[in-house]
Amino acid sequence: MAIWKIDQAHSHVEFKVKHLVVSSAKGEFTKFDGTVEATKDDFTDAKISFEADTDSISTGHEQRDGHLKSDDFFNVASFPKLKFVSTEIKQTDKEYYNMKGNLTIRDKTLPVSLNVVYGGTTKDGYGRMVAGFEVHGKINRKDYGLKWSMATEAGGMVVADEVKIDIAVEIVKQA
């Protein structure tokens, strides 16, 4: 069994949500960790665990970040981590996978399905084995208790319920 760890310096955990119906607001978690355990080189038997510090949420706007950390959204004081644990990985093409797992945000754990693109495996400049992946999916924020909402004058929502997830990750094989 090979153990792989996320290389945080070469990985990004980002999200995007519609704002005022006409544009999107983007953000990221800057502190996260994860482990991949696999016996197969193609990762089809991988067991993945991931967590992000909710207090590390950053949208580039201090006031919005403060609101996202409040009980209206992540409530970082009570729920300092969001977590994902894989339950199934299916290869759908040479480099494409579908990954199912359980995502926990606040006190809600729900199944999610994510699309994964396997970029390949190579040695880095230090002789370590490195693999790269892109992960994409979407969730409904209200399913997880991220409840704040407000309607615009035109009847649309200030913040949409659907949140798109975009993760680019490099993992390093542990000795």
Side-chain angles (χ1 to χ4, degrees):
M1 171 89 51
I3 307 291
W4 302 71
K5 295 289 285 174
I6 288 180
D7 178 356
Q8 190 173 345
H10 296 103
S11 301
H12 304 279
V13 178
E14 301 173 334
F15 60 88
K16 183 169 41 172
V17 63
K18 283 286 195 185
H19 180 252
L20 298 174
V21 185
V22 298
S23 67
S24 293
K26 294 173 95 176
E28 65 179 327
F29 292 95
T30 60
K31 293 181 183 171
F32 49 87
D33 193 20
T35 302
V36 176
E37 297 178 15
T39 59
K40 296 181 179 179
D41 290 339
D42 65 2
F43 296 96
T44 53
D45 68 340
K47 304 273 187 244
I48 298 154
S49 61
F50 169 85
E51 64 181 32
D53 293 350
T54 54
D55 193 46
S56 75
I57 196 166
S58 174
T59 64
H61 187 271
E62 191 175 328
Q63 184 178 354
R64 179 172 45 225
D65 294 349
H67 190 204
L68 289 170
K69 293 175 184 183
S70 77
D71 190 44
D72 284 342
F73 290 96
F74 288 97
N75 189 352
V76 301
S78 297
F79 307 104
K81 305 249 185 226
L82 65 82
K83 298 175 183 181
F84 173 83
V85 176
S86 68
T87 56
E88 178 182 44
I89 296 178
K90 286 190 177 178
Q91 190 170 15
T92 58
D93 200 347
K94 183 177 179 179
E95 60 196 32
Y96 296 95
Y97 297 75
N98 179 263
M99 177 171 59
K100 293 182 179 180
N102 293 313
L103 176 63
T104 303
I105 300 175
R106 295 177 60 109
D107 58 347
K108 304 275 180 153
T109 300
L110 298 170
V112 295
S113 180
L114 303 168
N115 296 313
V116 180
V117 180
Y118 173 42
T121 303
T122 190
K123 281 192 176 180
D124 69 5
Y126 302 102
R128 304 176 305 171
M129 292 304 297
V130 177
F133 299 89
E134 291 185 15
V135 181
H136 307 284
K138 55 188 171 184
I139 62 168
N140 184 317
R141 68 183 178 87
K142 287 190 173 177
D143 291 345
Y144 293 91
L146 309 180
K147 59 188 181 261
W148 185 85
S149 190
M150 180 183 286
T152 66
E153 287 182 17
M157 298 311 295
V158 172
V159 179
D161 294 345
E162 181 181 274
V163 178
K164 294 180 180 176
I165 300 166
D166 289 302
I167 299 171
V169 64
E170 285 186 16
I171 56 175
V172 180
K173 190 173 187 179
Q174 304 301 291

